[in-house]
Amino acid sequence: MTHRKLFLLWTLLCSLALLPRAAEAAPVTVGGKASTTGGTSGSASGPKKGFELPENIIGGNAITALLPVQVGFAGYLPRVRIGFQYERQLYKAHWVYVQIAGLLDRGDWHTFRLPECGLGASEGSCNRGTVAGFDLGLGYAHKWFLKNHPYLVPIARVGLNGGAWWYPYITESRQQARERTWSMSVRGGGGLRLFLLRNLAIGLDVNLVLGFTISRDRPLAKPPETNANFLIGMEVLPLIVEHRF
């Protein structure tokens, strides 16, 4: 047998040995055609993957406008709390947030839970006034993803808040012994978001407030006093606007 025939036989045997492995290693099928006038065209097909909804509506950041009402069951809390909150998605349902809020209230000594009305000679004759302050918060939120209803987002959260507020001075003179109050509280609760658009939602939250307050009192013609009290209250946020990006 000539050298040329031996070479052709060796080539054929190698081709037959490699053909099954090549077929197993290529599950994707490719087809195409070529012509001298229309150029080349082709198509490819492989295993299809089912449609999967995203883990969040859009983006991993959120800015929220907070318009809550809060009430103190044990201890006093300014009733109006208007703030903003920034949230950052860590991984899937896990988020962290920071918030800042302004505190406002208007009323008399009954509203502010003060021990008495008036100060010194004006005792028993105090006017209404406005309390103003601020509040800062840091916390964690868990946001569930509902595969069948992705526009609804239930939320559970817990955070640490601290703030202060100052009591009113009416007609440039004090009408109560209490000057200011500092507070520290843990707020835990949850809520729901309804996404009207992929990046805009409205919702509501309800949080339980547990903590303490430290107040500075300065009675007339007496040295200042510091009073500490437990704080138990509730924060209801009837209107929340959330924007994700």
Coordinates of all heavy atoms in Angstrom, one line a residue, residues 81-163:
R81 N -44.4 65.3 62.1 CA -43.0 64.9 61.8 C -42.9 64.9 60.3 O -43.4 63.9 59.7 CB -42.6 63.6 62.4 CG -41.2 63.2 62.2 CD -40.9 61.9 63.1 NE -39.5 61.5 62.9 CZ -39.2 60.5 62.0 NH1 -40.1 60.0 61.2 NH2 -37.9 60.2 61.9
I82 N -42.2 65.8 59.7 CA -42.1 65.9 58.2 C -40.6 65.7 57.9 O -39.7 66.4 58.3 CB -42.6 67.2 57.7 CG1 -44.0 67.5 58.1 CG2 -42.4 67.3 56.1 CD1 -44.5 68.8 57.7
G83 N -40.3 64.6 57.0 CA -38.9 64.4 56.8 C -38.7 63.7 55.4 O -39.6 63.5 54.6
F84 N -37.4 63.4 55.2 CA -37.0 62.7 54.0 C -36.1 61.5 54.4 O -35.4 61.6 55.4 CB -36.2 63.7 53.0 CG -37.1 64.7 52.5 CD1 -37.2 66.0 53.1 CD2 -37.8 64.5 51.3 CE1 -38.0 67.0 52.6 CE2 -38.6 65.5 50.8 CZ -38.7 66.7 51.4
Q85 N -36.1 60.5 53.5 CA -35.4 59.3 53.8 C -34.6 58.8 52.6 O -35.2 58.8 51.5 CB -36.3 58.2 54.3 CG -35.7 56.9 54.6 CD -36.8 55.9 55.2 OE1 -37.1 56.0 56.4 NE2 -37.4 55.1 54.4
Y86 N -33.4 58.4 52.7 CA -32.6 57.8 51.6 C -32.4 56.3 52.0 O -31.9 56.0 53.1 CB -31.3 58.5 51.4 CG -30.4 57.7 50.5 CD1 -30.6 57.7 49.1 CD2 -29.3 57.0 51.0 CE1 -29.8 57.0 48.3 CE2 -28.4 56.3 50.2 CZ -28.7 56.3 48.8 OH -27.9 55.6 47.9
E87 N -32.7 55.4 51.0 CA -32.5 54.0 51.2 C -31.6 53.4 50.2 O -31.6 53.9 49.0 CB -33.9 53.3 51.2 CG -34.8 53.7 52.2 CD -36.1 53.0 52.1 OE1 -36.3 51.8 52.6 OE2 -37.1 53.6 51.5
R88 N -30.8 52.5 50.6 CA -29.8 51.8 49.7 C -30.0 50.3 49.8 O -30.0 49.8 50.9 CB -28.4 52.2 50.1 CG -27.3 51.5 49.3 CD -27.3 51.8 47.8 NE -26.3 51.1 47.0 CZ -26.1 51.2 45.7 NH1 -26.9 52.0 45.0 NH2 -25.2 50.5 45.1
Q89 N -30.2 49.7 48.6 CA -30.3 48.2 48.6 C -28.9 47.6 48.7 O -28.0 47.8 47.9 CB -31.0 47.8 47.3 CG -31.3 46.3 47.2 CD -31.9 45.9 45.8 OE1 -31.5 46.5 44.8 NE2 -32.8 45.0 45.8
L90 N -28.8 46.7 49.7 CA -27.6 46.0 49.9 C -27.5 44.7 49.1 O -26.6 44.5 48.3 CB -27.4 45.6 51.4 CG -27.3 46.8 52.4 CD1 -27.2 46.3 53.8 CD2 -26.1 47.7 52.0
Y91 N -28.6 43.9 49.2 CA -28.7 42.6 48.5 C -30.1 42.1 48.5 O -30.7 41.9 49.5 CB -27.8 41.6 49.1 CG -27.8 40.2 48.4 CD1 -27.3 40.0 47.1 CD2 -28.5 39.1 49.0 CE1 -27.4 38.8 46.5 CE2 -28.6 37.9 48.4 CZ -28.0 37.7 47.1 OH -28.1 36.5 46.5
K92 N -30.7 42.1 47.3 CA -32.1 41.6 47.2 C -33.0 42.4 48.1 O -33.3 43.5 47.9 CB -32.2 40.1 47.3 CG -31.5 39.3 46.2 CD -31.7 37.8 46.3 CE -31.1 37.1 45.1 NZ -31.3 35.6 45.2
A93 N -33.6 41.7 49.1 CA -34.6 42.3 50.0 C -34.0 43.1 51.1 O -34.8 43.7 51.9 CB -35.5 41.2 50.5
H94 N -32.7 43.2 51.2 CA -32.1 43.9 52.4 C -31.7 45.3 52.0 O -30.9 45.5 51.1 CB -30.9 43.1 52.8 CG -31.2 41.6 53.1 ND1 -31.8 41.2 54.2 CD2 -30.9 40.5 52.4 CE1 -32.0 39.9 54.2 NE2 -31.4 39.4 53.1
W95 N -32.2 46.3 52.8 CA -31.9 47.7 52.6 C -31.5 48.3 53.9 O -31.9 47.9 55.0 CB -33.2 48.4 52.1 CG -33.7 47.9 50.7 CD1 -34.2 46.7 50.4 CD2 -33.8 48.7 49.6 NE1 -34.6 46.7 49.1 CE2 -34.4 47.9 48.5 CE3 -33.5 50.1 49.3 CZ2 -34.6 48.4 47.3 CZ3 -33.8 50.5 48.0 CH2 -34.3 49.7 47.0
V96 N -30.8 49.4 53.8 CA -30.5 50.3 54.9 C -30.9 51.7 54.6 O -31.1 52.0 53.4 CB -28.9 50.3 55.2 CG1 -28.5 49.0 55.8 CG2 -28.1 50.7 54.0
Y97 N -31.2 52.5 55.6 CA -31.7 53.8 55.3 C -31.2 54.8 56.4 O -30.9 54.5 57.5 CB -33.3 53.8 55.3 CG -33.9 53.5 56.7 CD1 -34.2 54.5 57.6 CD2 -34.3 52.2 57.0 CE1 -34.8 54.2 58.8 CE2 -34.9 51.9 58.2 CZ -35.1 52.9 59.1 OH -35.7 52.6 60.3
V98 N -31.2 56.1 56.0 CA -31.0 57.2 56.9 C -32.1 58.2 56.6 O -32.6 58.3 55.5 CB -29.6 57.9 56.6 CG1 -28.5 56.9 57.0 CG2 -29.5 58.3 55.2
Q99 N -32.5 58.9 57.7 CA -33.6 59.9 57.5 C -33.4 61.1 58.4 O -32.6 61.1 59.4 CB -34.9 59.2 57.9 CG -35.0 58.7 59.3 CD -36.4 58.1 59.6 OE1 -37.0 58.4 60.6 NE2 -36.9 57.2 58.7
I100 N -34.0 62.2 58.0 CA -33.9 63.5 58.7 C -35.3 64.0 58.7 O -36.0 64.0 57.7 CB -32.9 64.4 58.2 CG1 -32.8 65.7 59.0 CG2 -33.1 64.7 56.7 CD1 -31.7 66.6 58.6
A101 N -35.8 64.6 59.8 CA -37.1 65.1 59.9 C -37.2 66.3 60.8 O -36.4 66.5 61.7 CB -38.1 64.0 60.4
G102 N -38.2 67.2 60.5 CA -38.5 68.3 61.3 C -39.7 68.0 62.1 O -40.7 67.4 61.7
L103 N -39.7 68.5 63.4 CA -40.8 68.2 64.4 C -41.5 69.5 64.7 O -40.9 70.6 64.9 CB -40.2 67.6 65.6 CG -39.3 66.4 65.5 CD1 -38.8 66.0 66.9 CD2 -40.1 65.3 64.9
L104 N -42.8 69.5 64.6 CA -43.6 70.6 64.9 C -44.9 70.2 65.7 O -45.4 69.1 65.6 CB -44.1 71.3 63.6 CG -43.0 71.9 62.7 CD1 -43.7 72.3 61.3 CD2 -42.4 73.1 63.3
D105 N -45.3 71.2 66.5 CA -46.5 71.0 67.3 C -47.0 72.3 67.8 O -46.2 73.2 68.0 CB -46.3 70.0 68.4 CG -47.6 69.4 68.9 OD1 -48.7 69.8 68.4 OD2 -47.6 68.5 69.8
R106 N -48.3 72.5 68.0 CA -48.8 73.7 68.6 C -49.9 73.3 69.6 O -50.8 72.5 69.3 CB -49.4 74.6 67.5 CG -49.9 75.9 68.1 CD -50.2 76.9 67.0 NE -50.7 78.2 67.6 CZ -50.0 79.1 68.1 NH1 -48.6 79.0 68.2 NH2 -50.5 80.3 68.6
G107 N -49.8 74.0 70.8 CA -50.8 73.7 71.8 C -50.5 74.4 73.1 O -49.7 75.3 73.1
D108 N -51.1 73.9 74.2 CA -50.9 74.5 75.5 C -50.2 73.5 76.4 O -49.6 72.5 75.9 CB -52.2 74.9 76.1 CG -53.2 73.8 76.2 OD1 -52.8 72.6 76.0 OD2 -54.4 74.1 76.3
W109 N -50.1 73.7 77.7 CA -49.4 72.9 78.6 C -49.9 71.5 78.6 O -49.2 70.5 78.9 CB -49.3 73.5 79.9 CG -50.6 73.6 80.7 CD1 -51.6 74.5 80.4 CD2 -51.0 72.8 81.8 NE1 -52.6 74.2 81.3 CE2 -52.3 73.2 82.2 CE3 -50.4 71.8 82.5 CZ2 -53.0 72.7 83.2 CZ3 -51.1 71.3 83.6 CH2 -52.3 71.7 83.9
H110 N -51.3 71.3 78.4 CA -51.8 70.0 78.3 C -51.3 69.2 77.2 O -50.9 68.0 77.3 CB -53.4 70.1 78.2 CG -54.0 70.6 79.5 ND1 -54.2 69.8 80.6 CD2 -54.6 71.8 79.8 CE1 -54.8 70.5 81.6 NE2 -55.1 71.7 81.1
T111 N -51.2 69.9 76.0 CA -50.7 69.3 74.8 C -49.2 68.8 75.0 O -48.8 67.7 74.6 CB -50.7 70.2 73.6 OG1 -52.1 70.7 73.5 CG2 -50.3 69.5 72.3
F112 N -48.4 69.6 75.6 CA -47.0 69.3 75.8 C -46.7 68.4 77.0 O -45.5 68.2 77.3 CB -46.2 70.6 75.9 CG -46.4 71.6 74.8 CD1 -46.5 73.0 75.0 CD2 -46.6 71.1 73.5 CE1 -46.7 73.9 74.0 CE2 -46.9 72.0 72.5 CZ -46.9 73.4 72.7
R113 N -47.7 68.0 77.7 CA -47.6 67.1 78.9 C -46.7 67.8 80.0 O -45.9 67.1 80.6 CB -47.0 65.8 78.5 CG -47.7 65.1 77.3 CD -49.0 64.4 77.8 NE -49.6 63.7 76.7 CZ -49.4 62.5 76.3 NH1 -48.5 61.7 77.0 NH2 -50.1 61.9 75.3
L114 N -46.9 69.1 80.2 CA -46.1 69.8 81.2 C -46.8 69.6 82.6 O -48.1 69.5 82.6 CB -46.0 71.2 80.9 CG -45.2 71.5 79.6 CD1 -45.2 73.0 79.2 CD2 -43.8 70.9 79.7
P115 N -46.1 69.7 83.7 CA -46.7 69.5 85.0 C -47.6 70.6 85.4 O -48.5 70.4 86.3 CB -45.5 69.3 85.9 CG -44.4 70.0 85.2 CD -44.6 69.8 83.8
E116 N -47.4 71.8 84.9 CA -48.2 73.0 85.3 C -48.3 74.0 84.3 O -47.5 74.0 83.3 CB -47.6 73.6 86.6 CG -46.2 74.1 86.5 CD -45.6 74.6 87.8 OE1 -46.3 74.4 88.9 OE2 -44.5 75.2 87.7
C117 N -49.2 74.9 84.4 CA -49.4 76.0 83.4 C -48.8 77.3 84.0 O -49.1 77.6 85.2 CB -50.9 76.2 83.1 SG -51.3 77.7 82.2
G118 N -48.0 78.0 83.2 CA -47.4 79.2 83.7 C -46.1 79.1 84.4 O -45.7 78.0 84.7
L119 N -45.6 80.2 84.8 CA -44.3 80.3 85.5 C -44.3 81.5 86.4 O -44.5 82.6 86.0 CB -43.2 80.4 84.4 CG -41.7 80.4 85.0 CD1 -41.4 79.0 85.5 CD2 -40.8 80.7 83.8
G120 N -44.0 81.2 87.7 CA -43.9 82.3 88.6 C -45.2 83.0 88.8 O -46.3 82.4 89.1
A121 N -45.2 84.4 88.7 CA -46.4 85.2 88.9 C -47.4 84.9 87.8 O -48.6 85.2 88.0 CB -46.0 86.7 88.9
S122 N -47.0 84.3 86.7 CA -48.0 84.1 85.6 C -48.6 82.7 85.7 O -49.2 82.2 84.7 CB -47.3 84.3 84.2 OG -46.3 83.3 84.0
E123 N -48.4 82.0 86.8 CA -48.9 80.6 86.9 C -50.4 80.6 86.8 O -51.1 81.4 87.4 CB -48.5 80.1 88.3 CG -48.9 78.6 88.5 CD -48.4 78.0 89.8 OE1 -47.6 78.7 90.4 OE2 -48.8 76.9 90.1
G124 N -50.9 79.7 85.9 CA -52.3 79.6 85.7 C -52.8 80.4 84.5 O -54.0 80.4 84.2
S125 N -51.9 81.2 83.9 CA -52.3 82.1 82.8 C -51.3 82.0 81.6 O -50.6 82.9 81.4 CB -52.5 83.5 83.2 OG -51.3 84.0 83.7
C126 N -51.2 80.8 81.0 CA -50.3 80.6 79.9 C -51.0 80.5 78.5 O -52.1 80.1 78.5 CB -49.4 79.4 80.1 SG -50.4 77.9 80.4
N127 N -50.3 81.0 77.5 CA -50.9 81.0 76.2 C -50.5 79.8 75.4 O -49.6 79.0 75.8 CB -50.4 82.3 75.4 CG -50.9 83.6 76.1 OD1 -52.0 83.6 76.7 ND2 -50.0 84.6 76.1
R128 N -51.1 79.6 74.3 CA -50.7 78.5 73.4 C -49.4 78.9 72.6 O -49.1 80.1 72.4 CB -51.8 78.3 72.3 CG -53.1 77.7 72.9 CD -54.2 77.7 71.9 NE -53.8 76.8 70.8 CZ -54.0 75.5 70.7 NH1 -54.5 74.9 71.8 NH2 -53.6 74.8 69.7
G129 N -48.6 77.9 72.3 CA -47.3 78.2 71.6 C -47.0 77.1 70.7 O -47.7 76.0 70.6
T130 N -45.9 77.2 70.0 CA -45.4 76.2 69.0 C -44.1 75.6 69.4 O -43.2 76.3 69.8 CB -45.2 76.9 67.6 OG1 -46.5 77.5 67.2 CG2 -44.7 75.9 66.6
V131 N -44.1 74.3 69.4 CA -42.9 73.5 69.6 C -42.2 73.1 68.3 O -42.9 72.8 67.3 CB -43.2 72.2 70.4 CG1 -42.1 71.2 70.3 CG2 -43.5 72.5 71.9
A132 N -40.9 73.3 68.2 CA -40.2 72.9 67.0 C -38.9 72.2 67.3 O -38.3 72.4 68.4 CB -39.9 74.2 66.2
G133 N -38.5 71.3 66.5 CA -37.3 70.5 66.7 C -36.9 69.7 65.5 O -37.3 70.0 64.3
F134 N -36.0 68.7 65.7 CA -35.5 67.9 64.6 C -35.4 66.4 65.1 O -35.4 66.1 66.3 CB -34.2 68.4 64.1 CG -33.1 68.2 65.1 CD1 -32.3 67.0 65.0 CD2 -32.8 69.1 66.1 CE1 -31.2 66.8 65.9 CE2 -31.8 68.9 67.0 CZ -31.0 67.8 66.9
D135 N -35.2 65.5 64.1 CA -35.1 64.1 64.4 C -34.2 63.5 63.3 O -34.3 63.8 62.1 CB -36.4 63.4 64.4 CG -36.4 62.0 64.9 OD1 -36.2 61.8 66.1 OD2 -36.5 61.1 64.1
L136 N -33.3 62.6 63.8 CA -32.4 61.9 62.8 C -32.6 60.4 63.1 O -32.8 59.9 64.2 CB -30.9 62.3 63.0 CG -30.6 63.7 62.9 CD1 -29.1 64.0 63.3 CD2 -30.8 64.2 61.4
G137 N -32.5 59.6 62.0 CA -32.7 58.1 62.1 C -31.8 57.3 61.2 O -31.3 57.8 60.2
L138 N -31.5 56.1 61.7 CA -30.6 55.1 60.9 C -31.2 53.8 61.2 O -31.5 53.4 62.3 CB -29.2 55.2 61.4 CG -28.2 54.1 60.8 CD1 -28.0 54.4 59.3 CD2 -26.9 54.2 61.5
G139 N -31.4 52.9 60.1 CA -32.0 51.6 60.3 C -31.9 50.7 59.2 O -31.2 50.9 58.2
Y140 N -32.6 49.5 59.3 CA -32.6 48.4 58.4 C -34.0 48.2 57.9 O -34.9 48.2 58.8 CB -32.0 47.2 59.0 CG -32.3 45.9 58.2 CD1 -31.5 45.6 57.1 CD2 -33.3 45.1 58.6 CE1 -31.8 44.4 56.4 CE2 -33.6 43.9 57.9 CZ -32.8 43.6 56.8 OH -33.1 42.4 56.1
A141 N -34.2 47.8 56.7 CA -35.5 47.5 56.2 C -35.4 46.2 55.3 O -34.5 46.0 54.6 CB -36.1 48.6 55.3
H142 N -36.5 45.4 55.5 CA -36.6 44.2 54.7 C -37.8 44.4 53.7 O -38.9 44.5 54.2 CB -36.8 42.9 55.5 CG -36.7 41.7 54.8 ND1 -35.6 40.9 54.7 CD2 -37.7 41.0 54.1 CE1 -35.8 39.8 53.9 NE2 -37.1 39.9 53.6
K143 N -37.6 44.3 52.4 CA -38.6 44.6 51.5 C -38.9 43.3 50.7 O -38.0 42.8 49.9 CB -38.2 45.7 50.5 CG -37.9 47.0 51.2 CD -37.7 48.1 50.3 CE -37.5 49.4 51.0 NZ -37.4 50.6 50.1
W144 N -40.1 42.7 50.9 CA -40.4 41.5 50.2 C -40.7 41.7 48.7 O -41.3 42.8 48.3 CB -41.6 40.8 50.8 CG -41.3 40.1 52.1 CD1 -40.9 38.8 52.2 CD2 -41.3 40.6 53.4 NE1 -40.7 38.5 53.5 CE2 -40.9 39.6 54.3 CE3 -41.6 41.9 54.0 CZ2 -40.8 39.7 55.7 CZ3 -41.5 42.0 55.3 CH2 -41.1 41.0 56.2
F145 N -40.4 40.7 47.9 CA -40.7 40.8 46.4 C -41.7 39.8 46.1 O -41.5 38.6 46.3 CB -39.4 40.5 45.6 CG -39.7 40.5 44.1 CD1 -39.9 41.6 43.4 CD2 -39.7 39.3 43.5 CE1 -40.2 41.6 42.1 CE2 -39.9 39.2 42.1 CZ -40.2 40.4 41.4
L146 N -42.9 40.2 45.7 CA -44.0 39.3 45.4 C -44.0 39.1 43.9 O -44.3 40.0 43.1 CB -45.3 40.0 45.8 CG -45.5 40.4 47.3 CD1 -46.8 41.0 47.6 CD2 -45.2 39.2 48.2
K147 N -43.7 37.8 43.5 CA -43.5 37.5 42.1 C -44.8 37.7 41.3 O -44.7 38.2 40.2 CB -43.0 36.1 42.0 CG -42.6 35.7 40.6 CD -42.0 34.3 40.5 CE -41.6 33.9 39.1 NZ -41.0 32.6 39.0
N148 N -45.9 37.4 41.9 CA -47.2 37.5 41.2 C -47.7 38.9 41.3 O -48.6 39.3 40.4 CB -48.2 36.5 41.8 CG -47.8 35.1 41.6 OD1 -47.2 34.7 40.6 ND2 -48.2 34.2 42.5
H149 N -47.3 39.7 42.2 CA -47.7 41.1 42.3 C -46.5 42.0 42.6 O -46.3 42.5 43.7 CB -48.7 41.2 43.5 CG -49.9 40.3 43.3 ND1 -51.0 40.5 42.4 CD2 -50.2 39.2 44.0 CE1 -51.8 39.6 42.5 NE2 -51.4 38.7 43.5
P150 N -45.7 42.2 41.6 CA -44.4 43.0 41.8 C -44.7 44.4 42.1 O -43.7 45.1 42.7 CB -43.7 42.8 40.5 CG -44.7 42.5 39.5 CD -45.8 41.8 40.2
Y151 N -45.8 45.0 41.9 CA -46.1 46.4 42.2 C -46.5 46.6 43.6 O -46.6 47.7 44.1 CB -47.2 46.9 41.3 CG -48.5 46.0 41.3 CD1 -49.5 46.2 42.2 CD2 -48.6 44.9 40.4 CE1 -50.6 45.3 42.3 CE2 -49.7 44.1 40.4 CZ -50.7 44.3 41.3 OH -51.8 43.5 41.4
L152 N -46.7 45.5 44.4 CA -46.9 45.6 45.8 C -45.7 45.2 46.6 O -45.1 44.1 46.4 CB -48.1 44.8 46.3 CG -49.5 45.2 45.8 CD1 -50.5 44.1 46.2 CD2 -49.9 46.5 46.2
V153 N -45.2 46.1 47.5 CA -43.9 45.8 48.2 C -44.2 45.9 49.7 O -44.2 47.0 50.3 CB -42.8 46.7 47.8 CG1 -41.5 46.4 48.6 CG2 -42.6 46.7 46.3
P154 N -44.4 44.8 50.5 CA -44.5 44.8 51.9 C -43.1 45.1 52.5 O -42.1 44.7 52.0 CB -45.0 43.4 52.3 CG -45.5 42.8 51.0 CD -44.7 43.4 49.9
I155 N -43.1 45.8 53.6 CA -41.8 46.3 54.2 C -41.9 46.1 55.7 O -42.9 46.4 56.4 CB -41.5 47.8 53.9 CG1 -41.4 48.0 52.4 CG2 -40.2 48.2 54.6 CD1 -41.3 49.5 52.1
A156 N -40.8 45.5 56.3 CA -40.6 45.5 57.8 C -39.3 46.3 58.1 O -38.3 46.1 57.4 CB -40.6 44.1 58.3
R157 N -39.3 47.1 59.1 CA -38.1 47.9 59.4 C -37.9 48.1 60.9 O -38.9 48.0 61.7 CB -38.2 49.3 58.7 CG -39.3 50.2 59.2 CD -39.2 51.6 58.5 NE -39.6 51.6 57.2 CZ -38.8 51.7 56.1 NH1 -37.5 51.9 56.3 NH2 -39.3 51.7 54.9
V158 N -36.7 48.4 61.2 CA -36.3 48.7 62.6 C -35.2 49.7 62.5 O -34.3 49.6 61.7 CB -35.9 47.5 63.4 CG1 -34.7 46.8 62.8 CG2 -35.7 47.8 64.9
G159 N -35.3 50.7 63.4 CA -34.2 51.8 63.4 C -34.0 52.5 64.7 O -34.9 52.3 65.6
L160 N -33.0 53.2 64.8 CA -32.6 54.0 66.0 C -32.8 55.5 65.6 O -32.2 56.0 64.6 CB -31.2 53.7 66.4 CG -30.7 54.4 67.6 CD1 -31.5 54.0 68.9 CD2 -29.2 54.2 67.9
N161 N -33.6 56.2 66.4 CA -33.8 57.7 66.2 C -33.4 58.5 67.4 O -33.6 58.0 68.5 CB -35.3 57.9 65.9 CG -35.7 57.4 64.5 OD1 -35.7 56.2 64.2 ND2 -36.0 58.4 63.6
G162 N -32.9 59.7 67.1 CA -32.6 60.6 68.2 C -32.9 62.0 67.7 O -32.8 62.3 66.5
G163 N -33.4 62.9 68.6 CA -33.7 64.2 68.2 C -33.9 65.1 69.5 O -33.7 64.7 70.6

